[in-house]
Short mmCIF file of all heavy atoms in Angstrom, two decimals:
data_model
loop_
_atom_site.label_atom_id
_atom_site.label_comp_id
_atom_site.label_asym_id
_atom_site.label_seq_id
_atom_site.Cartn_x
_atom_site.Cartn_y
_atom_site.Cartn_z
N ARG A 66 133.40 -141.82 -20.70
CA ARG A 66 133.29 -142.93 -19.73
C ARG A 66 134.70 -143.75 -19.79
O ARG A 66 135.29 -144.11 -18.77
CB ARG A 66 132.06 -143.84 -19.83
CG ARG A 66 130.86 -143.07 -19.34
CD ARG A 66 129.63 -144.12 -19.21
NE ARG A 66 128.51 -143.37 -18.87
CZ ARG A 66 127.42 -143.20 -19.67
NH1 ARG A 66 127.39 -143.71 -20.81
NH2 ARG A 66 126.31 -142.43 -19.17
N LEU A 67 135.00 -143.94 -21.04
CA LEU A 67 136.28 -144.69 -21.19
C LEU A 67 137.46 -143.93 -20.68
O LEU A 67 138.41 -144.44 -19.97
CB LEU A 67 136.57 -145.02 -22.66
CG LEU A 67 137.69 -145.93 -23.04
CD1 LEU A 67 137.62 -147.31 -22.28
CD2 LEU A 67 137.91 -146.13 -24.51
N LEU A 68 137.50 -142.54 -20.82
CA LEU A 68 138.62 -141.71 -20.22
C LEU A 68 138.54 -141.74 -18.75
O LEU A 68 139.60 -141.80 -18.10
CB LEU A 68 138.50 -140.42 -20.86
CG LEU A 68 139.55 -139.32 -20.28
CD1 LEU A 68 140.98 -139.84 -20.65
CD2 LEU A 68 139.36 -137.89 -21.04
N LEU A 69 137.25 -141.70 -18.25
CA LEU A 69 137.18 -141.68 -16.79
C LEU A 69 137.64 -142.99 -16.09
O LEU A 69 138.21 -143.00 -15.12
CB LEU A 69 135.66 -141.56 -16.38
CG LEU A 69 135.13 -139.93 -16.53
CD1 LEU A 69 133.62 -140.02 -16.38
CD2 LEU A 69 135.87 -139.06 -15.54
N ILE A 70 137.34 -144.17 -16.86
CA ILE A 70 137.86 -145.43 -16.39
C ILE A 70 139.26 -145.41 -16.24
O ILE A 70 140.04 -145.84 -15.34
CB ILE A 70 137.24 -146.58 -17.22
CG1 ILE A 70 135.80 -146.68 -17.08
CG2 ILE A 70 138.07 -147.91 -16.88
CD1 ILE A 70 135.20 -147.69 -18.11
N GLY A 71 139.95 -145.00 -17.31
CA GLY A 71 141.58 -144.93 -17.39
C GLY A 71 141.99 -144.04 -16.34
O GLY A 71 143.01 -144.32 -15.65
N THR A 72 141.36 -142.86 -16.16
CA THR A 72 141.81 -141.93 -15.20
C THR A 72 141.61 -142.45 -13.77
O THR A 72 142.60 -142.34 -12.83
CB THR A 72 141.05 -140.63 -15.24
OG1 THR A 72 141.23 -140.10 -16.63
CG2 THR A 72 141.47 -139.56 -14.23
N TRP A 73 140.44 -143.16 -13.47
CA TRP A 73 140.24 -143.60 -12.19
C TRP A 73 141.26 -144.78 -11.72
O TRP A 73 141.59 -144.96 -10.65
CB TRP A 73 138.79 -143.93 -11.99
CG TRP A 73 137.98 -142.90 -11.55
CD1 TRP A 73 137.07 -142.21 -12.23
CD2 TRP A 73 137.93 -142.29 -10.26
NE1 TRP A 73 136.44 -141.16 -11.55
CE2 TRP A 73 136.99 -141.17 -10.26
CE3 TRP A 73 138.71 -142.36 -9.05
CZ2 TRP A 73 136.77 -140.21 -9.24
CZ3 TRP A 73 138.45 -141.53 -7.93
CH2 TRP A 73 137.49 -140.51 -8.03
N LEU A 74 141.51 -145.58 -12.81
CA LEU A 74 142.48 -146.64 -12.59
C LEU A 74 143.79 -145.99 -12.14
O LEU A 74 144.41 -146.54 -11.23
CB LEU A 74 142.70 -147.46 -13.82
CG LEU A 74 141.56 -148.47 -14.25
CD1 LEU A 74 141.86 -149.09 -15.62
CD2 LEU A 74 141.53 -149.58 -13.18
N SER A 75 144.25 -144.84 -12.90
CA SER A 75 145.51 -144.20 -12.45
C SER A 75 145.30 -143.51 -11.12
O SER A 75 146.39 -143.70 -10.32
CB SER A 75 145.79 -143.07 -13.51
OG SER A 75 145.89 -143.66 -14.82
N VAL A 76 144.27 -142.97 -10.75
CA VAL A 76 144.11 -142.34 -9.43
C VAL A 76 144.07 -143.35 -8.40
O VAL A 76 144.63 -143.11 -7.31
CB VAL A 76 142.81 -141.47 -9.42
CG1 VAL A 76 142.44 -141.05 -8.11
CG2 VAL A 76 142.79 -140.27 -10.37
N THR A 77 143.47 -144.52 -8.57
CA THR A 77 143.32 -145.58 -7.53
C THR A 77 144.78 -145.96 -7.26
O THR A 77 145.21 -146.14 -6.03
CB THR A 77 142.47 -146.65 -8.09
OG1 THR A 77 141.11 -146.10 -8.28
CG2 THR A 77 142.45 -147.78 -6.97
N ILE A 78 145.53 -146.41 -8.30
CA ILE A 78 146.80 -146.91 -7.98
C ILE A 78 147.76 -145.88 -7.41
O ILE A 78 148.66 -146.18 -6.54
CB ILE A 78 147.45 -147.53 -9.30
CG1 ILE A 78 148.74 -148.44 -8.93
CG2 ILE A 78 147.73 -146.66 -10.33
CD1 ILE A 78 149.23 -149.27 -10.11
N ALA A 79 147.67 -144.62 -7.91
CA ALA A 79 148.49 -143.53 -7.39
C ALA A 79 148.16 -143.32 -5.91
O ALA A 79 149.04 -143.08 -5.04
CB ALA A 79 148.27 -142.26 -8.21
N PHE A 80 146.87 -143.30 -5.57
CA PHE A 80 146.43 -143.06 -4.22
C PHE A 80 146.90 -144.25 -3.30
O PHE A 80 147.49 -143.99 -2.20
CB PHE A 80 144.94 -143.02 -4.12
CG PHE A 80 144.34 -142.81 -2.67
CD1 PHE A 80 144.38 -141.52 -2.21
CD2 PHE A 80 143.89 -143.94 -1.96
CE1 PHE A 80 143.92 -141.33 -0.77
CE2 PHE A 80 143.39 -143.71 -0.76
CZ PHE A 80 143.36 -142.43 -0.17
N ARG A 81 146.84 -145.41 -3.83
CA ARG A 81 147.25 -146.59 -2.99
C ARG A 81 148.75 -146.47 -2.66
O ARG A 81 149.36 -146.76 -1.60
CB ARG A 81 146.85 -147.87 -3.65
CG ARG A 81 147.17 -149.11 -2.82
CD ARG A 81 146.87 -150.43 -3.58
NE ARG A 81 145.49 -150.42 -3.93
CZ ARG A 81 145.04 -150.52 -5.14
NH1 ARG A 81 145.91 -150.62 -6.19
NH2 ARG A 81 143.87 -150.55 -5.46
N TYR A 82 149.60 -146.18 -3.72
CA TYR A 82 151.02 -146.16 -3.66
C TYR A 82 151.50 -144.94 -2.74
O TYR A 82 152.37 -145.13 -2.00
CB TYR A 82 151.64 -146.07 -5.00
CG TYR A 82 151.63 -147.38 -5.74
CD1 TYR A 82 152.07 -147.50 -7.07
CD2 TYR A 82 151.27 -148.54 -5.16
CE1 TYR A 82 152.14 -148.65 -7.68
CE2 TYR A 82 151.14 -149.85 -5.81
CZ TYR A 82 151.64 -149.78 -7.14
OH TYR A 82 151.51 -151.05 -7.78
N SER A 83 150.68 -143.79 -2.91
CA SER A 83 151.06 -142.63 -2.10
C SER A 83 150.87 -142.89 -0.68
O SER A 83 151.58 -142.50 0.15
CB SER A 83 150.20 -141.49 -2.67
OG SER A 83 150.55 -141.07 -3.97
N THR A 84 149.72 -143.60 -0.33
CA THR A 84 149.46 -143.91 1.06
C THR A 84 150.55 -144.81 1.67
O THR A 84 151.04 -144.63 2.76
CB THR A 84 148.11 -144.57 1.09
OG1 THR A 84 147.12 -143.75 0.58
CG2 THR A 84 147.79 -144.92 2.54
N THR A 85 150.88 -145.87 0.84
CA THR A 85 151.97 -146.71 1.33
C THR A 85 153.22 -145.98 1.49
O THR A 85 154.00 -146.22 2.61
CB THR A 85 152.14 -147.92 0.37
OG1 THR A 85 150.84 -148.51 0.18
CG2 THR A 85 153.09 -148.88 0.79
N LEU A 86 153.57 -145.11 0.69
CA LEU A 86 154.78 -144.27 0.82
C LEU A 86 154.75 -143.49 2.00
O LEU A 86 155.73 -143.27 2.69
CB LEU A 86 154.98 -143.52 -0.43
CG LEU A 86 156.26 -142.69 -0.61
CD1 LEU A 86 157.49 -143.59 -0.59
CD2 LEU A 86 156.35 -141.76 -1.80
N LEU A 87 153.64 -142.89 2.27
CA LEU A 87 153.53 -141.93 3.41
C LEU A 87 153.63 -142.79 4.75
O LEU A 87 154.21 -142.46 5.79
CB LEU A 87 152.16 -141.19 3.51
CG LEU A 87 152.09 -140.14 2.42
CD1 LEU A 87 150.63 -139.56 2.41
CD2 LEU A 87 153.13 -139.07 2.63
N ILE A 88 152.94 -144.05 4.77
CA ILE A 88 153.12 -144.90 6.01
C ILE A 88 154.50 -145.20 6.21
O ILE A 88 155.03 -145.22 7.33
CB ILE A 88 152.15 -146.08 5.76
CG1 ILE A 88 150.73 -145.76 5.64
CG2 ILE A 88 152.45 -147.03 6.80
CD1 ILE A 88 149.83 -146.81 5.36
N ARG A 89 155.30 -145.42 5.10
CA ARG A 89 156.70 -146.00 5.35
C ARG A 89 157.59 -144.73 5.76
O ARG A 89 158.41 -144.88 6.63
CB ARG A 89 157.25 -146.58 4.09
CG ARG A 89 156.64 -147.87 3.71
CD ARG A 89 157.42 -148.47 2.42
NE ARG A 89 156.87 -149.82 2.22
CZ ARG A 89 157.32 -150.49 1.15
NH1 ARG A 89 158.31 -150.06 0.40
NH2 ARG A 89 156.88 -151.75 0.84
N ALA A 90 157.20 -143.53 5.15
CA ALA A 90 158.03 -142.39 5.49
C ALA A 90 157.91 -141.89 6.91
O ALA A 90 158.89 -141.51 7.55
CB ALA A 90 157.73 -141.33 4.45
N PHE A 91 156.68 -141.97 7.39
CA PHE A 91 156.36 -141.38 8.69
C PHE A 91 156.06 -142.43 9.80
O PHE A 91 155.73 -142.12 10.94
CB PHE A 91 155.18 -140.42 8.60
CG PHE A 91 155.31 -139.30 7.84
CD1 PHE A 91 154.79 -139.22 6.51
CD2 PHE A 91 156.18 -138.14 8.29
CE1 PHE A 91 155.03 -138.11 5.65
CE2 PHE A 91 156.35 -137.01 7.61
CZ PHE A 91 155.86 -136.98 6.17
N ASP A 92 156.37 -143.67 9.44
CA ASP A 92 156.20 -144.82 10.24
C ASP A 92 154.89 -144.84 10.97
O ASP A 92 154.72 -145.01 12.27
CB ASP A 92 157.32 -144.75 11.27
CG ASP A 92 157.49 -146.23 12.16
OD1 ASP A 92 157.02 -147.17 11.45
OD2 ASP A 92 157.99 -146.19 13.19
N TRP A 93 153.78 -144.51 10.11
CA TRP A 93 152.45 -144.60 10.68
C TRP A 93 152.03 -146.08 11.07
O TRP A 93 152.24 -147.03 10.32
CB TRP A 93 151.50 -144.02 9.78
CG TRP A 93 151.58 -142.48 9.64
CD1 TRP A 93 152.48 -141.66 10.31
CD2 TRP A 93 150.96 -141.77 8.61
NE1 TRP A 93 152.42 -140.49 9.79
CE2 TRP A 93 151.43 -140.33 8.75
CE3 TRP A 93 150.03 -141.89 7.62
CZ2 TRP A 93 150.97 -139.38 8.00
CZ3 TRP A 93 149.56 -140.90 6.83
CH2 TRP A 93 150.05 -139.62 7.07
N ASN A 94 151.36 -146.21 12.19
CA ASN A 94 150.86 -147.58 12.53
C ASN A 94 149.38 -147.47 12.46
O ASN A 94 148.71 -147.02 13.41
CB ASN A 94 151.30 -148.06 13.96
CG ASN A 94 150.73 -149.33 14.26
OD1 ASN A 94 150.29 -150.04 13.42
ND2 ASN A 94 150.81 -149.82 15.52
N LEU A 95 148.75 -147.77 11.25
CA LEU A 95 147.40 -147.49 11.04
C LEU A 95 146.48 -148.75 11.34
O LEU A 95 145.30 -148.68 11.13
CB LEU A 95 147.10 -147.11 9.68
CG LEU A 95 147.79 -145.66 9.21
CD1 LEU A 95 147.57 -145.40 7.74
CD2 LEU A 95 147.38 -144.59 10.24
N ARG A 96 147.06 -149.83 11.69
CA ARG A 96 146.31 -151.11 11.98
C ARG A 96 146.15 -151.28 13.40
O ARG A 96 147.12 -151.46 14.22
CB ARG A 96 147.11 -152.32 11.32
CG ARG A 96 147.27 -152.12 9.86
CD ARG A 96 147.71 -153.49 9.26
NE ARG A 96 147.74 -153.39 7.72
CZ ARG A 96 147.99 -154.42 7.03
NH1 ARG A 96 148.14 -155.63 7.52
NH2 ARG A 96 147.99 -154.17 5.62
N PRO A 97 145.02 -151.18 13.85
CA PRO A 97 144.62 -151.29 15.33
C PRO A 97 144.75 -152.84 15.73
O PRO A 97 144.57 -153.69 14.87
CB PRO A 97 143.21 -150.80 15.47
CG PRO A 97 142.52 -151.10 14.16
CD PRO A 97 143.64 -150.86 13.14
N PRO A 98 144.92 -152.98 17.08
CA PRO A 98 144.88 -154.43 17.52
C PRO A 98 143.48 -155.03 17.19
O PRO A 98 142.57 -154.32 17.10
CB PRO A 98 145.21 -154.35 18.94
CG PRO A 98 145.70 -152.93 19.27
CD PRO A 98 145.25 -152.21 18.14
N PRO A 99 143.40 -156.42 17.35
CA PRO A 99 142.22 -157.09 17.12
C PRO A 99 141.20 -156.58 18.11
O PRO A 99 141.52 -156.60 19.29
CB PRO A 99 142.53 -158.46 17.10
CG PRO A 99 143.99 -158.67 16.81
CD PRO A 99 144.55 -157.38 17.27
N GLY A 100 139.95 -156.31 17.67
CA GLY A 100 138.89 -155.92 18.67
C GLY A 100 138.99 -154.48 18.97
O GLY A 100 137.99 -153.95 19.53
#
Side-chain angles (χ1 to χ4, degrees):
R66 289 192 180 110
L67 185 59
L68 179 58
L69 284 173
I70 292 173
T72 298
W73 274 109
L74 284 171
S75 302
V76 169
T77 299
I78 192 172
F80 180 78
R81 185 181 302 120
Y82 286 173
S83 298
T84 302
T85 304
L86 184 63
L87 290 174
I88 292 173
R89 289 185 179 181
F91 296 100
D92 196 21
W93 291 352
N94 184 12
L95 300 179
R96 297 193 177 188

